[in-house]
């Protein structure tokens, strides 16, 4: 009875015309079978029609929430797996970085040893021979060698070099090296 009243209230605007008169529409044909949600379940037998509709709506919402929860659980699991993979990759990259830094330090130490050895050789050479040798080298290496030899020998070597090359190396010898570039 209450359900029929609800249906009539919902259809009232359709039944009334512009002037408020009742408009006659064709009656709906009777159904031979009830729709599944119209058949009360065992636990709904003592409930009113409105309560049954609310209960069914709550069941439907519960099913939707369960579906969403399962989807969220799946996403959380996938995200946790991705986080683990990212953490493993970070550990691997950190180990690789440490290995690279160690190799660079070894290379730099070896390079410093070779430059010191070359500086000792240049320090014992005649200025003209040393100037010819250092003039053909990379300027950065020649500069490092000139800084390591005795100042008197460095002056003689620079004096034996062509003027332009001696001036470039002399200018660069006066610049204080940036410690950040050396490491």
């Amino acid at each position: 009875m209450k359900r029929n009243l609800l249906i009539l209230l919902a259809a009232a605007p359709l039944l009334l015309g512009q002037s408020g008169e009742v408009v006659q529409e064709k009656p709906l044909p009777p159904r031979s079978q009830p729709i599944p949600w119209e058949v009360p379940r065992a636990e709904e037998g003592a409930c009113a029609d409105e309560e049954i509709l609310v209960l069914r709506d709550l069941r439907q919402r519960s099913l939707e929430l369960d579906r969403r929860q399962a989807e969220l659980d799946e996403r959380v699991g996938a995200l946790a797996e991705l986080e683990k993979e990212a953490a493993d990759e970070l550990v691997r990259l950190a180990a690789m970085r440490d290995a690279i830094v160690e190799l660079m330090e070894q290379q730099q130490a070896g390079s410093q040893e070779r430059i010191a050895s070359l500086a000792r050789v240049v320090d014992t050479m005649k200025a003209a021979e040393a100037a010819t040798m250092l003039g053909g080298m990379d300027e950065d290496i020649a500069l490092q060698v000139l800084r390591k030899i005795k100042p008197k020998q460095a002056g003689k070597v620079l004096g034996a070099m062509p003027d332009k090359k001696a001036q470039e190396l002399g200018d660069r010898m006066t610049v204080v090296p940036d410690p950040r570039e050396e490491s």
Side-chain angles (χ1 to χ4, degrees):
M1 176 75 160
K2 290 180 184 178
R3 185 168 174 268
N4 292 337
L5 181 62
L6 288 175
I7 292 173
L8 282 175
L9 288 176
L14 299 175
L15 298 174
L16 297 177
Q18 296 289 345
S19 62
E21 298 175 12
V22 175
V23 177
Q24 291 294 328
E25 288 191 7
K26 294 181 186 177
L28 296 173
R31 292 189 307 266
S32 61
Q33 295 279 339
I35 301 174
W37 56 83
E38 291 179 340
V39 178
R41 293 182 180 172
E43 68 271 7
E44 296 174 345
C47 297
D49 290 341
E50 294 85 17
E51 292 172 332
I52 291 172
L53 291 174
V54 169
L55 285 173
R56 290 181 180 166
D57 185 47
L58 288 174
R59 280 190 203 109
Q60 186 64 31
R61 287 183 185 206
S62 176
L63 290 174
E64 178 65 20
L65 288 174
D66 289 345
R67 184 190 63 77
R68 285 184 179 178
Q69 183 65 41
E71 186 178 297
L72 285 175
D73 290 344
E74 184 179 318
R75 282 185 172 185
V76 165
L79 183 60
E81 182 64 30
L82 287 174
E83 286 176 344
K84 182 184 179 309
E85 288 175 12
D88 292 344
E89 185 69 11
L90 284 174
V91 167
R92 187 183 71 78
L93 289 174
M96 189 182 296
R97 183 196 64 221
D98 293 343
I100 289 171
V101 166
E102 183 179 334
L103 286 173
M104 287 176 63
E105 288 172 351
Q106 289 174 358
Q107 181 187 16
Q108 189 174 20
S111 177
Q112 292 301 320
E113 287 175 20
R114 288 187 297 276
I115 289 175
S117 174
L118 181 60
R120 286 189 299 273
V121 170
V122 169
D123 206 15
T124 61
M125 293 174 75
K126 293 185 179 177
E129 294 170 351
T132 304
M133 185 177 78
L134 291 178
M137 287 185 163
D138 179 57
E139 282 190 13
D140 291 330
I141 294 174
L143 186 63
Q144 290 179 20
V145 170
L146 285 171
R147 285 185 176 148
K148 292 204 180 278
I149 63 176
K150 296 176 190 167
K152 186 175 181 178
Q153 178 69 5
K156 289 178 184 178
V157 171
L158 285 174
M161 284 186 175
D163 292 341
K164 186 176 180 183
K165 185 75 168 181
Q167 184 179 3
E168 289 174 6
L169 287 173
D171 288 345
R172 288 188 60 193
M173 283 183 72
T174 60
V175 176
V176 177
D178 188 354
R180 293 174 291 183
E181 292 176 6
E182 290 180 5
S183 60

